[in-house]
Amino acid sequence: MKAIYIPLNKVKTGQTCIVQDLKATGTQRRRMLDLGFIKDTEVKVMRRSPLGDPTAYLIRDTIIALRKEEASKILVKVNS
């Protein structure tokens, strides 16, 4: 059975997930990799801004804020 991955921006606040793939290209992909969004890295959704964008994510002991457009290009597997 093939695993189903979802975009990071669809993960609920407080949930933890594991990075599986990046759909970003070029400099945006390089930036995501530099921030630590590499395969098998754990990410926790910390909080969303009052208007819903950007969202704060905890990754490798650092909180990173990403907009929905950026987070939608990071595919993850949600921890059960």
Side-chain angles (χ1 to χ4, degrees), residues 12-57:
K12 295 178 182 171
T13 302
Q15 283 189 305
T16 302
C17 55
I18 304 293
V19 175
Q20 297 300 311
D21 194 14
L22 292 178
K23 294 299 177 190
T25 59
T27 56
Q28 188 177 39
R29 181 179 180 84
R30 180 80 254 154
R31 178 175 176 260
M32 298 294 180
L33 292 169
D34 289 345
L35 289 172
F37 290 93
I38 58 173
K39 186 169 173 53
D40 296 328
T41 301
E42 186 174 271
V43 179
K44 182 175 182 180
V45 182
M46 298 302 289
R47 69 182 298 181
R48 299 195 194 285
S49 72
L51 298 177
D53 200 26
T55 299
Y57 300 95

Side-chain angles (χ1 to χ4, degrees), residues 1-2 5-6 8 14 18 26 36 44 51 58 61 69-70 74 77:
M1 180 161 58
K2 185 175 180 176
Y5 304 137
I6 62 170
L8 181 58
I18 304 293
K44 182 175 182 180
L51 298 177
L58 179 65
D61 296 324
E69 179 186 339
E70 297 167 313
I74 302 170
K77 175 177 67 175

